[in-house]
Amino acid sequence: MARFSGTHKERFSVAAPADIVLAHFADLKAIARNYGPIERADILDDVTLSLLLQEKGMSGVRYQARYTVRYERDADSVRWRTIASENLWSSGEICVIGRDPNPGGSTQLDYTQHIETEIPVPRLLAKLADGIVRREIVGGVQAYLQRMRDACPRG
């Protein structure tokens, strides 16, 4: 098994009040709906989501991530971290860094997500695959974040 990782950081604005944006990014149903190619998503309680991603295969290597994530929300942020996993670990946060005080104003946010995964790649190929897997991780996070932004209620 080889371990790969990727981190995505982004600053952006959403044309909605902070409370609505944070509620959306902590909404387990919205997260599951916008996550991407998943086989199964189970809401275990108000703050815990279990995910089984669709299996991927390339050049004879097959991979399917299974993990459980806990989300925590406070007045200015949502944070998450993997609490159980077979092969994927995720942590991150979305933090409010600016609020437009006008009714229906926009919210400026900082988003950071780090993912590590173990894939059954022979160690000799791991160095060659590192850049490819890192791009897949970061591209997947960017696509998820865009779907969440697009789906965010505007208030």
Side-chain angles (χ1 to χ4, degrees), residues 77-94:
S77 67
V78 176
R79 290 179 177 79
W80 59 92
R81 65 180 172 79
T82 299
I83 58 169
S85 179
E86 292 182 15
N87 54 9
L88 188 144
W89 301 268
S90 174
S91 62
E93 66 181 351
I94 184 166

Side-chain angles (χ1 to χ4, degrees), residues 82-150:
T82 299
I83 58 169
S85 179
E86 292 182 15
N87 54 9
L88 188 144
W89 301 268
S90 174
S91 62
E93 66 181 351
I94 184 166
C95 298
V96 173
I97 59 169
R99 300 170 193 251
D100 183 341
N102 298 314
S106 64
T107 302
Q108 190 173 24
L109 303 134
D110 273 344
Y111 181 93
T112 302
Q113 184 164 4
H114 179 76
I115 294 177
E116 286 188 45
T117 188
E118 285 185 346
I119 300 176
V121 175
R123 293 220 183 264
L124 292 173
L125 295 177
K127 287 205 183 273
L128 295 171
D130 186 62
I132 295 167
V133 175
R134 186 180 317 274
R135 279 191 301 278
E136 280 281 315
I137 290 170
V138 171
V141 171
Q142 289 172 323
Y144 161 74
L145 181 56
Q146 187 62 55
R147 287 189 296 273
M148 287 294 283
R149 289 166 60 178
D150 291 346

